Amino acid sequence: MSRAGRSAPLVLAIPAIAGLAFLVLPLAGLLIRAPWATLPQRLTEPDVLAALRLSLLTATLATGVCLLTGVPLAWLLARTTFVGRRFVRALVTVPLVLPPVVGGVALLLVFGRRGLVGEWLDSAFGITLPFTTTGVVLAEAFVAMPFLVISVEGALRSADARYEEAAATLGAGRWTAFRRVTLPLIAPGVAAGAVLCWARALGEFGATITFAGNFPGRTQTMPLAVYLALERDLDAAIVLSLVLLAVSVAILAGLRDRWLGTT
């Protein structure tokens, strides 16, 4: 019998269906309870638009920060050999498993007014990062960068290094080879990592509220607006959640060939 024609044994099918229902039912409940009749009106409320604009802006800026620093870091991990490389790779993945609130506390200890770097920034330049829009960008970049680094490093490891070697034999320097040869080869991986990074930044909550606070118009992003709306208006919270759900589905649909493809 072919693999496609095999039926799952009942002992596996029942928990599999239960697991699927556990994942799908909350999303279905969100769609069922959504105030569809007043949805357009609620989406145009000033508080919702302000949170949405701030979320899009900070997530995009955080992704830009991650691209500027994460792509070189991924290249370092994939293309060079140095003492402690495995340890560095482990450090890069720590934000994936670190509770976001702990990440926010760590950011405060470094970039706060009395932090390791923040105290110097405040005294020397008058720059204060916590509880500002810049603080939101830093918090989102901290939790989102591993997604980009892992994706780009995987693309670099799967790319054929002989093209770079050929470019070097033709007289191209390392920067020229990276810009003209390596980047075009890994462009799909960079794009996928950037999209995942942006989506993670858009949905960030714990590190943001700990490091940047929840000030409307300045640090209140969409997830924070959902948290606040739950206390006073359930329908508003559902509408905001629907926006984030729509973004998540769009991201998944855009990356379907990369993450949902079958062989």
Side-chain angles (χ1 to χ4, degrees):
M1 181 182 295
S2 65
R3 182 177 299 181
R6 295 177 184 174
S7 58
L10 193 62
V11 68
L12 295 180
I14 292 177
I17 294 173
L20 180 62
F22 175 72
L23 295 175
V24 172
L25 283 178
L27 302 180
L30 189 64
L31 295 173
I32 293 172
R33 290 291 305 274
W36 296 107
T38 60
L39 184 63
Q41 177 183 353
R42 289 182 176 275
L43 287 176
T44 57
E45 291 181 357
D47 292 343
V48 174
L49 291 177
L52 180 58
R53 282 194 297 265
L54 183 64
S55 295
L56 295 176
L57 173 64
T58 54
T60 302
L61 291 176
T63 302
V65 171
C66 293
L67 283 169
L68 289 175
T69 58
V71 173
L73 177 57
W75 182 89
L76 189 71
L77 293 173
R79 286 288 192 264
T80 64
T81 302
F82 57 91
V83 178
R85 184 177 63 172
R86 291 184 179 180
F87 179 69
V88 172
R89 183 180 290 111
L91 289 177
V92 170
T93 58
V94 164
L96 290 175
V97 296
L98 188 71
V101 174
V102 177
V105 173
L107 289 171
L108 276 174
L109 294 177
V110 175
F111 296 108
R113 287 188 175 182
R114 297 182 180 274
L116 299 176
V117 178
E119 186 174 7
W120 172 74
L121 289 174
D122 189 20
S123 60
F125 304 100
I127 298 176
T128 302
L129 297 176
F131 309 107
T132 64
T133 303
T134 304
V136 176
V137 175
L138 289 180
E140 292 177 348
F142 176 77
V143 299
M145 187 180 293
F147 291 89
L148 176 72
V149 174
I150 291 174
S151 180
V152 175
E153 185 187 358
L156 282 166
R157 291 188 178 278
S158 62
D160 195 339
R162 290 178 296 178
Y163 292 105
E164 301 173 31
E165 296 171 358
T169 60
L170 295 175
R174 287 192 172 185
W175 168 245
T176 301
F178 175 78
R179 180 171 53 89
R180 301 289 297 274
V181 178
T182 307
L183 273 182
L185 284 174
I186 65 171
V190 174
V195 171
L196 289 174
C197 178
W198 185 84
R200 179 64 184 89
L202 188 70
E204 167 50 31
F205 175 83
T208 302
I209 197 172
T210 306
F211 182 62
N214 188 12
F215 301 102
R218 188 171 66 182
T219 65
Q220 188 181 90
T221 57
M222 291 287 286
L224 273 63
V226 172
Y227 176 77
L228 186 64
L230 278 173
E231 300 178 356
R232 54 182 175 83
D233 189 352
L234 178 60
D235 286 344
I238 293 175
V239 169
L240 293 169
S241 300
L242 282 176
V243 174
L244 294 175
L245 176 61
V247 171
S248 301
V249 172
I251 295 299
L252 186 61
L255 296 176
R256 64 187 182 277
D257 292 335
R258 182 176 180 86
W259 303 110
L260 301 180
T262 56
T263 58

